[in-house]
Amino acid sequence: MDNAKNVLVVVDMQKDFIDGALGTKEAVEIVDNVAEMIKGFDGEVVFTRDTHFDNYLETQEGKKLPVPHCIKGSDGWEIDKKLEVLRLDGMKVFDKLTFGSMELADYLKSLPALESVTLIGLCTDICVISNALLIKAALPEVNISVVERCCAGVTPESHQNALEAMKMCQIDIQ
């Protein structure tokens, strides 16, 4: 969709973050909200997928968070089944090796008619905020927003802290 005016970025809605290795009850609770948002969105929908490999525990992230998760090809790496069925042929998925995706930001910069980017997903306090700030830096005049009811953090407190930090960076919280 080269002429997309509005893009919805579904961040890391993967089994390991919902009810797998790093799952939380808050993450489970937003799945239906995320599905509803995808179904009703007027614009292009893209997904990100946290992607690690068998050597995860040897990486810097693995040493700081020694919980193997989102290992490429594993069940935990897959987008949640309720959401996967909503993916249409041709929808982009950005496999990212770190919290934020430069590839995603570059893709959004390539859309000439882009007016807004909305982010939803997991985790508010790590990957959602990282991608929101990267996109805001790459596209300072594009309206960037995050939908609170479609996000969950590592903890409810860190979720709220991330929302407040994004507000301070002129990212709209809906």
Side-chain angles (χ1 to χ4, degrees), residues 12 14-20 22-24 27 50 69-70 122-123:
D12 297 359
Q14 295 161 269
K15 182 168 179 42
D16 272 347
F17 291 129
I18 297 169
D19 59 6
L22 295 172
T24 64
D50 195 44
H69 64 281
C70 299
L122 301 168
C123 291

Side-chain angles (χ1 to χ4, degrees), residues 127-141:
C127 294
V128 173
I129 192 172
S130 295
N131 282 290
L133 291 172
L134 273 173
I135 295 164
K136 187 67 176 174
L139 296 160
E141 295 304 317

Side-chain angles (χ1 to χ4, degrees), residues 93-109:
V93 178
F94 295 90
D95 289 340
K96 56 187 191 53
L97 306 180
T98 186
F99 306 135
S101 172
M102 294 296 292
E103 183 183 2
L104 169 63
D106 289 343
Y107 171 71
L108 294 170
K109 279 178 69 174

Side-chain angles (χ1 to χ4, degrees), residues 12 59 77 126:
D12 297 359
T59 67
W77 176 71
I126 302 173

